[in-house]
Amino acid sequence: QGVVPVFENLSFTVPAGKTTAFVGSSGSGKSTIIKLLMRVYDYTHGPIHIGDTPIRDIDAQYLREKIGYVEQHVDLFDDTIEANILLGVNGKGLRKAKNTLEIIAHKTRIDQFYHRLGKTKFKTMLGERGVKLSGGERQRVGIARAIIKNPDILIFDEATSALDSENEKYVMEAINDVSKGKTTIIIAHRLSTVVNADKIIVMDKGKVIAEGTQD
């Protein structure tokens, strides 16, 4: 009694291998949807499926290993760029991941600020909370961290909202490049940042009020 549902009559499909964008003002429910998909929150009514499998039947840790997640503020540690990118990769996958660092750097546009790193490149120490990098550079390291484990699903939760227009351009280029062929979800405030999405879902107060392409 007295409980107000976050969502009402919410129904949508995220097509596999395509980019789906969620757009809406703060409080419209965009980030809550991501937390439900990552099983940070549980739900009381209605089904959520990945393919034909109910999400509750998928182990939460296994599910999160298959998701590459980049949020608005990427947490970086006082360690090398390499260590920050490889965070979460371990065991047999570590050597393979190290061998793909140059490819990942190109895809995520990290190679565009090599000139600031000097000869040390991936061995450059970032300082506390990545203080040596700009906001846009931090986000690109975050994207590299998300894709180094080759996840099945990519999620970008307001990944460019704190950036100026120039850095936003570089980061969106990186997002568009790494998203090719991946099931990708982009959360954004502004429609202008997701015009290339295969599907755009506009939300307001927990409801889908429009969906389709930019056109």
Side-chain angles (χ1 to χ4, degrees):
Q1 188 175 1
V3 175
V4 178
V6 177
F7 299 115
E8 292 184 72
N9 302 319
L10 183 68
S11 179
F12 60 84
T13 301
V14 173
K18 303 287 187 181
T19 296
T20 300
F22 288 86
V23 181
S25 59
S26 295
S28 60
K30 307 184 303 295
S31 291
T32 303
I33 286 173
I34 299 307
K35 288 180 171 63
L36 287 168
L37 290 175
M38 296 181 71
R39 297 198 63 190
V40 176
Y41 298 158
D42 204 359
Y43 52 97
T44 52
H45 300 290
I48 300 175
H49 288 81
I50 295 182
D52 296 324
T53 306
I55 203 167
R56 280 182 173 145
D57 292 348
I58 304 173
D59 177 74
Q61 183 176 345
Y62 175 83
L63 176 66
R64 289 170 197 151
E65 287 173 356
K66 298 296 182 183
I67 294 175
Y69 178 67
V70 183
E71 55 193 328
Q72 182 176 342
H73 299 289
V74 172
D75 286 324
L76 298 181
F77 304 97
D78 187 8
D79 208 328
T80 63
I81 288 184
E82 179 180 298
N84 273 279
I85 292 174
L86 295 173
L87 185 74
V89 180
N90 48 45
K92 295 178 181 178
L94 190 56
R95 180 179 292 180
K96 182 180 178 182
K98 283 185 177 181
N99 290 336
T100 62
L101 277 172
E102 283 290 355
I103 297 170
I104 297 294
H106 180 66
K107 282 190 171 185
T108 57
R109 308 304 192 264
I110 288 174
D111 58 3
Q112 291 180 346
F113 60 88
Y114 272 171
H115 63 283
R116 294 212 314 108
L117 304 179
K119 293 179 181 179
T120 52
K121 281 173 60 172
F122 292 113
K123 299 299 182 182
T124 303
M125 296 294 292
L126 297 184
E128 189 174 349
R129 297 186 178 180
V131 68
K132 290 184 180 179
L133 300 183
S134 70
E137 291 165 353
R138 291 163 59 91
Q139 291 306 94
R140 282 177 264 180
V141 172
I143 295 169
R145 179 191 290 170
I147 69 170
I148 195 80
K149 58 182 180 178
N150 194 28
D152 295 325
I153 299 169
L154 286 171
I155 297 175
F156 300 96
D157 190 356
E158 301 279 13
T160 65
S161 63
L163 304 179
D164 58 48
S165 57
E166 184 177 0
N167 271 303
E168 181 183 69
K169 172 178 170 286
Y170 291 134
V171 173
M172 282 310 303
E173 280 180 7
I175 289 174
N176 291 333
D177 199 356
V178 303
S179 299
K180 290 174 183 173
K182 293 276 188 186
T183 302
T184 304
I185 297 172
I186 300 176
I187 304 294
H189 263 111
R190 300 186 297 274
L191 198 59
S192 59
T193 61
V194 292
V195 292
N196 295 321
D198 299 294
K199 183 177 188 178
I200 298 171
I201 296 174
V202 185
M203 297 195 64
D204 184 49
K205 298 174 183 175
K207 294 182 179 180
V208 173
I209 59 172
E211 62 177 281
T213 61
Q214 163 72 359
D215 289 341

